[in-house]
């Protein structure tokens, strides 16, 4: 079974940084598209950053603060988050897609609070 295993979430103070990782297992292929999404309590899930092929895209709220990258050899996608704000608090989900197939990680909690 293909799984996306996330790690790196946690509690940080405002202005701090976190690096999320999402490693794909159970597959030999490299996802054509990978992305990070987040969902805060009472809010809809939203796209934070994505990478189609090697092209990164970012939500306006993430531009200049977040960086998405991936290591194809490890089949892992990363999200470097800097200058974190309380409004970044959410469950962050990793998504991978290849062809018509879509896979989601279990989500990792990111809490930005003093």
């Amino acid at each position: 079974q293909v799984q996306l295993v996330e790690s790196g979430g946690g509690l940080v103070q405002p202005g701090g940084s976190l690096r999320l990782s999402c490693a794909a297992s159970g597959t030999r292929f490299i996802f054509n598209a990978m992305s990070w999404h987040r969902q805060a309590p009472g809010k809809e899930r939203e796209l934070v950053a994505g990478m189609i092929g090697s092209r990164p895209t970012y939500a306006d709220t993430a531009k200049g603060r977040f960086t998405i990258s991936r290591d194809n050899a490890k089949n892992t996608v990363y999200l470097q988050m800097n200058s974190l704000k309380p409004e970044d608090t959410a469950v962050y989900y990793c998504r991978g897609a290849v062809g018509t197939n879509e896979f989601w990680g279990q989500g990792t909690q990111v809490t930005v609070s003093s």
Side-chain angles (χ1 to χ4, degrees):
Q1 292 286 338
V2 176
Q3 293 188 72
L4 299 179
V5 182
E6 303 174 353
S7 62
L11 173 65
V12 296
Q13 295 183 348
S17 299
L18 282 175
R19 187 193 188 204
L20 307 182
S21 64
C22 174
S25 63
T27 178
R28 295 181 293 105
F29 59 80
I30 299 174
F31 291 108
N32 173 254
M34 300 194 76
S35 57
W36 288 95
H37 307 248
R38 69 186 182 189
Q39 186 168 23
K43 297 183 179 180
E44 296 182 354
R45 186 175 299 186
E46 63 177 349
L47 174 69
V48 177
M51 181 168 282
I52 302 175
S54 60
R55 180 178 179 177
T57 60
Y58 299 95
D60 288 340
T61 56
K63 291 180 180 178
R65 299 190 299 126
F66 295 0
T67 302
I68 186 171
S69 62
R70 68 179 180 182
D71 186 333
N72 289 337
K74 297 180 179 179
N75 213 5
T76 300
V77 64
Y78 305 92
L79 183 67
Q80 178 66 47
M81 304 187 294
N82 299 324
S83 302
L84 285 164
K85 307 173 182 178
E87 49 263 44
D88 294 318
T89 296
V91 177
Y92 284 70
Y93 299 90
C94 174
R95 174 185 179 270
V98 56
T100 60
N101 297 314
E102 180 184 66
F103 305 91
W104 288 88
Q106 79 287 350
T108 184
Q109 178 70 48
V110 172
T111 302
V112 185
S113 176
S114 60

